[in-house]
Amino acid sequence: MQRVGIVGAGFTGAVIARELAEAGIASVVMDERSHVAGNCHTERDSRTGIMVHRYGPHIFHTDRQHVWDYVNRFGEMVPFILRVKTTYRGHVYSLPVNLHTINQFFGKAMRPDEARAFVESQARSDIEEPRSFEEQALRFIGQPLYEAFFRGYTRKQWGMEPSLLPASILKRLPLRFDYNDNYFNHPHQAIPRDGYSAIVSRIMDHPKIEHRLGCRFEDVDETFSHLFYSGGMDRYYRYALGRLGYRTLDFRPSYHAGDYQGTAIMNHPEEEVPFTRVTEHKHFAPWEASGFAETIVFHETSRACGPDDIPYYPIRLVDETSMLRAYEARAREDAHVTFVGRLGTYEYLDMDATIDRALSAAQAYLSARPA
Ligand code: UDP
């Protein structure tokens, strides 16, 4: 009896494997890296003992009750509210842009309605349907706040003009006219007590799931009854139609005594500063943050993803989406493979959306299967 093959041991692969296993279907999960959880991977830093988000900060947040219930089956989620700060021209401001940011930035003490009217007076109300990141910013935030907090950061993060990027990227962030500085709007916000990799390992801990780490799918010659592939479509088809563009990230770790910046994430939107943000990992686990003698900090920079780099953010410009459509047309002819996950669907998915999609992909497979 052939097993199902699942490429990638991130949330996507793990959740699909689990759903299949619980329906009695055996699978093999393969990942070329030596650890599970993909870019959500967390591990204790060997020098300090701090739980490190190896591939950048991950905060779990969702309004999907079934996804929240699902992750809670596999580990303890500790409530965590992300409060991001940003340093611009020698001053520290609150993010996402809220009443405090507006009052700090303009040196005022406005009440909500006054601030709303003030920002609206700077906004480009003639932009009726913002299409690009820049139009979205100019329409809702106005030029001064956009130029301080978004333009430089976005050019560094995406390596291109915000006028070329989709408005959807900026729509991820709220704009608030009260003092709420919670980075997200979702009712459930947490970080797993034992890290993400522990959760993903527990999802895959089932007798019907075999997992092989350090295993490149290209080197596997076993045949599978079906394949779920959570790598890029372009890689699966050996780049026959070209390479889909991604941004990759570099993290420069450093160690410091005590508390380096007093918070988990400090953004640096100025273009002259080479990094986009600085992450201090012990602040992602405030329940243990006081127990460490040293602190570990990552300075994060972004650049174009080369052939040997780890892809993080799909760029999804016009040329890329047409290449994606061509790959998707080809994929429709390959009924034995389902492309899943952030890379497989080439979408900027958060963890909760990833889990939701994986549950649906498994369900679709199970219901299409002959009885
Ligand atoms: N962004 C920005 N300035 C900031 C934070 C975010 O311009 O201080 C823009 C940037 O283009 C970024 C996008 O908003 O890619 C989404 O931000 P988010 O914090 O959701 O990014 P992630 O944590 O997923 O990298």
Side-chain angles (χ1 to χ4, degrees), residues 220-238:
V220 173
D221 54 14
E222 191 174 333
T223 50
F224 298 105
S225 57
H226 189 79
L227 190 68
F228 287 93
Y229 189 86
S230 73
M233 267 187 196
D234 53 350
R235 178 165 171 183
Y236 182 83
Y237 290 111
R238 294 171 195 274

Side-chain angles (χ1 to χ4, degrees), residues 9-50:
F11 267 116
T12 296
V15 168
I16 291 172
R18 182 76 187 204
E19 292 301 290
L20 266 47
E22 288 179 3
I25 298 172
S27 66
V28 184
V29 182
M30 296 150 270
D31 200 300
E32 63 187 346
R33 299 195 218 178
S34 60
H35 58 74
V36 301
N39 285 359
C40 308
H41 175 56
T42 45
E43 64 190 0
R44 289 215 179 264
D45 175 55
S46 57
R47 177 160 153 181
T48 58
I50 293 168

Side-chain angles (χ1 to χ4, degrees), residues 57 61 82 84-86 95 133 146 148-155 157-158 162 165 168-173 183-184 249 265 267-269 276-277 300 313 348 350:
H61 55 98
L82 180 65
V84 177
K85 306 287 181 234
T86 186
L95 283 184
F133 184 109
Y146 164 59
F149 299 124
F150 296 97
R151 193 174 61 189
Y153 187 103
T154 298
R155 289 177 63 167
Q157 172 71 11
W158 295 93
L165 288 164
S168 59
I169 297 176
L170 183 56
K171 288 184 190 160
R172 293 172 57 82
L173 307 184
Y183 202 68
F184 306 112
L249 299 177
I265 302 180
N267 286 359
H268 290 272
T276 49
R277 58 185 171 185
E300 179 175 331
Y313 297 91
Y348 190 169
D350 288 328

Side-chain angles (χ1 to χ4, degrees), residues 257-274:
D259 195 359
Y260 180 74
Q261 60 180 15
T263 195
I265 302 180
M266 177 65 74
N267 286 359
H268 290 272
E270 290 169 301
E271 293 211 65
E272 309 73 64
V273 176

